[in-house]
Amino acid sequence: MAQPIHELTDRARDVFRIVVDSYLSTGTPVGSRTIAQLSGLNLSPASIRGVMQDLEEAGLLAAPHVSAGRMPTETGLRLFVDGMMHAMEPSAQERATIAAQADSAGPVEEALAGTAAALSGLSASAGVVLVPKREPVLRQVSFVPLSGTRALAVLVGADGSVENRVLETPGAGAAALVEAGNYLTARLSGLTLSEARDRILREIGQERAELDVAARALVERGLAMWSEDGDHRPVLIVRGQARLIDDAASHDLDRVRQLLDELEGKEEIARLLESAQDGDAARIFIGSENKLFALTGSSVIAKPVRALDGRVVGVVGVIGPVRLNYARVVPMVDFTAATLARLLG
């Protein structure tokens, strides 16, 4: 376990901060001679090497090569973030860029995607937004036969959105598909999916639904499928994946391939973001602190988006290399969460 920050001497703290600041800025190790020339510390290179050796023995610094300078370990970065980092508030221009995307006219998901893209560009990382599935207001439902036992269920929302699902339809012929679609469209237009489900199941339960047996079964299966899918599948938006391929990663094709594969596993990313919903502060996962990106050396900063009544209505964050500019990016994520709270709350 690394030393607590208050147990470091002033000299060790100064050298440690310089190494971390240099690494986060350049991504390369820093040597004692560079520190002596640029830091303004009244220390010789030999004295600085001694301090760096002590910091390495404490688990805060590491030398990637025998003759190289030092760089912070993940433990060192955690110590820096928790005990030494001075946050830098977003500039007026950065705040305006984020707010403009969140306030843009159009479907909510387009505003969320634009906000994620803006956060990605400003942080030089991948921007991510996770929100619960928003129920569309229905306009039309239809069933298109695919084979003798399968059909494509098509749900059209009032906002023009279209969702398709493949549905097993044993015993339901073409007439039943048409009957079920016409029935749902006639009775459910203008309702949300949950409202539609409650109304239809009530009518079926009271035997007021004018449907034959096959069409009735089809309606029940279709509603159950969409309901379950909507309840368990949040909307995850990721923008700026290419920004994760830094200079170090570009020379390690296996790492690049694995990183991109992990980004395709949206369920895993969603679970990672959901783990940040408790509490109010941004949660920071550095490198191997999260299992998903442990092998690719990536960090995650995530912040819950809370409505005025305290409900968590989403999570926003960034995924980037461990040498993220945490002091700049954490406040940026905080501001984005507050901005999205007005949109989603």
Side-chain angles (χ1 to χ4, degrees):
M1 180 177 294
Q3 288 179 265
I5 190 67
H6 65 270
E7 293 185 6
L8 295 179
T9 65
D10 290 343
R11 175 184 293 185
R13 229 189 323 258
D14 289 341
V15 171
F16 178 65
R17 177 185 289 281
I18 292 168
V19 173
V20 174
D21 285 342
S22 176
Y23 174 73
L24 295 182
S25 175
T26 67
T28 59
V30 59
S32 57
R33 190 173 300 279
T34 301
I35 293 176
Q37 292 173 344
L38 302 178
S39 66
L41 297 178
N42 189 24
L43 295 173
S44 68
S47 297
I48 293 173
R49 280 195 296 273
V51 174
M52 295 170 76
Q53 180 63 37
D54 292 340
L55 291 169
E56 185 174 357
E57 292 175 357
L60 301 179
L61 298 183
H65 307 290
V66 175
S67 60
R70 301 299 196 278
M71 57 190 287
T73 61
E74 290 181 4
T75 302
L77 287 174
R78 170 54 63 187
L79 182 70
F80 174 80
V81 166
D82 291 346
M84 300 181 68
M85 183 178 74
H86 298 305
M88 302 164 54
E89 291 302 314
S91 68
Q93 182 175 356
E94 289 169 341
R95 294 196 299 270
T97 299
I98 294 170
Q101 294 297 327
D103 295 338
S104 61
V108 171
E109 284 195 25
E110 288 186 11
L112 294 175
T115 303
L119 184 57
S120 168
L122 294 172
S123 66
S125 306
V128 291
V129 177
L130 177 75
V131 294
K133 181 72 175 176
R134 299 176 74 89
E135 285 194 302
V137 174
L138 304 178
R139 186 173 74 190
Q140 181 180 355
V141 179
S142 59
F143 298 93
V144 181
L146 297 176
S147 67
T149 59
R150 303 174 78 200
L152 183 69
V154 182
L155 183 150
V156 181
D159 61 355
S161 61
V162 179
E163 294 194 34
N164 301 319
R165 301 288 184 278
V166 176
L167 185 66
E168 297 296 327
T169 59
L177 295 177
V178 173
E179 182 181 3
N182 290 342
Y183 175 84
L184 287 171
T185 299
R187 285 166 172 77
L188 307 185
S189 180
L191 302 180
T192 65
L193 189 57
S194 59
E195 292 170 340
R197 178 187 56 199
D198 292 344
R199 176 173 177 178
I200 289 300
L201 293 181
R202 187 170 57 250
E203 287 193 9
I204 291 176
Q206 296 171 353
E207 297 186 350
R208 290 192 291 114
E210 300 173 0
L211 295 167
D212 65 20
V213 174
R216 177 177 298 187
L218 187 60
V219 166
E220 290 177 329
R221 281 199 301 275
L223 288 174
M225 174 191 61
W226 258 302
S227 175
E228 181 178 354
D229 184 59
D231 289 342
H232 294 91
R233 183 171 56 85
V235 175
L236 175 67
I237 298 170
V238 183
R239 293 292 183 272
Q241 293 95 319
R243 297 181 184 277
L244 292 171
I245 311 304
D246 58 15
D247 291 339
S250 65
H251 298 294
D252 186 347
L253 295 181
D254 288 339
R255 178 188 161 200
V256 170
R257 189 178 298 110
Q258 182 172 356
L259 183 57
L260 295 178
D261 287 345
E262 287 166 346
L263 286 173
E264 290 299 316
K266 292 192 173 183
E267 290 184 6
E268 293 294 330
I269 298 177
R271 277 195 286 270
L272 174 63
L273 295 180
E274 286 170 346
S275 70
Q277 290 184 359
D278 296 333
D280 294 321
R283 190 167 179 186
I284 304 171
F285 304 89
I286 299 175
S288 60
E289 291 178 355
N290 75 83
K291 294 180 180 179
L292 178 59
F293 295 110
L295 298 180
T296 53
S298 301
S299 289
V300 179
I301 301 172
K303 174 79 178 279
V305 179
R306 292 186 178 274
L308 293 177
D309 60 5
R311 290 178 300 114
V312 175
V313 292
V315 181
V316 63
V318 299
I319 303 171
V322 292
R323 66 177 191 87
L324 271 171
N325 187 337
Y326 298 94
R328 178 171 173 266
V329 176
V330 171
M332 195 177 293
V333 171
D334 288 340
F335 176 79
T336 306
T339 302
L340 290 181
R342 296 193 293 271
L343 173 68
L344 299 173

